[in-house]
Amino acid sequence: MAGSDGLGWIDRLLGRDTRDEALPLYNAVVARARQPHWYVEGAVPDTLDGRFDTIAAVLSMVMLRLETEPAGAQPAVHLAERFVDDMDPQLRQIGIGDIVVGKQMGRMMAALGGRLGAYRDGLATGRLEEALVRNLYRGTAPAPAALAHVAAQLRAVHAAATATPVAQLEQGVLR
């Protein structure tokens, strides 16, 4: 597979952009994260930060599934690259200049990495709600029903992704 040696930038330089392989799955993740129930029943703030946090939460559930088997390693890398490709122009569109975009992208990737760890631990220990309050709700707990809704929905995304073969996930199948 192109780019599996960790040198995906060479593939892009030569016109072979392997990140496109992640586009169907990334689009499915974003479509799932844009569903109104996150913001209505789940009380996630419908702001730029809230939308970012929701995409990061859904993306985390899928990436956590991909890390469970060797065949998921490269798709996970491509998915993270696609996330960066999506966020960069979003930052520019809201007026963040070229000089600051790189720093902001670094912060966003660090935030995604932190969320991956927090949600991995939360799923493993049965304490996903605590991780959600810290990360999705940025320290301010919503009503218990809203938190329960989001936790149940994210567990369902993770379970569905876990039940789906990697090849189908790569095709954008996210039940």
Side-chain angles (χ1 to χ4, degrees):
M1 171 179 260
S4 61
D5 57 4
L7 300 175
W9 64 272
I10 291 175
D11 288 324
R12 288 190 296 282
L13 182 66
L14 297 174
R16 299 181 308 245
D17 195 347
T18 57
R19 295 171 298 180
D20 287 345
E21 296 170 10
L23 191 55
L25 180 54
Y26 186 73
N27 286 342
V29 165
V30 171
R32 180 67 61 91
R34 288 184 175 163
Q35 292 175 345
H37 71 86
W38 301 108
Y39 309 98
V40 178
E41 290 91 347
V44 174
D46 191 4
T47 62
L48 287 172
D49 286 342
R51 291 176 187 189
F52 168 82
D53 292 335
T54 305
I55 290 172
V58 174
L59 183 64
S60 292
M61 294 302 117
V62 173
M63 291 182 78
L64 290 172
R65 182 278 180 257
L66 290 172
E67 75 180 16
T68 64
E69 62 182 275
Q74 200 61 38
V77 169
H78 294 160
L79 198 55
E81 290 173 342
R82 182 51 61 188
F83 174 74
V84 169
D85 288 347
D86 185 33
M87 291 299 124
D88 182 275
Q90 301 291 337
L91 291 173
R92 293 174 194 282
Q93 186 176 7
I94 62 171
I96 295 178
D98 289 341
I99 296 172
V100 180
V101 166
K103 285 183 180 181
Q104 193 65 23
M105 287 306 304
R107 287 186 193 119
M108 292 172 97
M109 289 308 295
L112 178 61
R115 283 161 174 76
L116 277 166
Y119 296 150
R120 179 185 302 110
D121 293 347
L123 287 169
T125 63
R127 299 173 77 162
L128 180 60
E129 290 80 358
E130 291 176 24
L132 290 171
V133 169
R134 282 191 316 274
N135 294 284
L136 183 65
Y137 296 102
R138 299 191 178 209
T140 304
L147 182 59
H149 173 80
V150 169
Q153 291 295 315
L154 287 174
R155 284 185 178 104
V157 168
H158 185 258
T162 299
T164 305
V166 171
Q168 286 184 354
L169 287 170
E170 288 182 288
Q171 294 170 4
V173 175
L174 186 56
R175 300 180 183 120

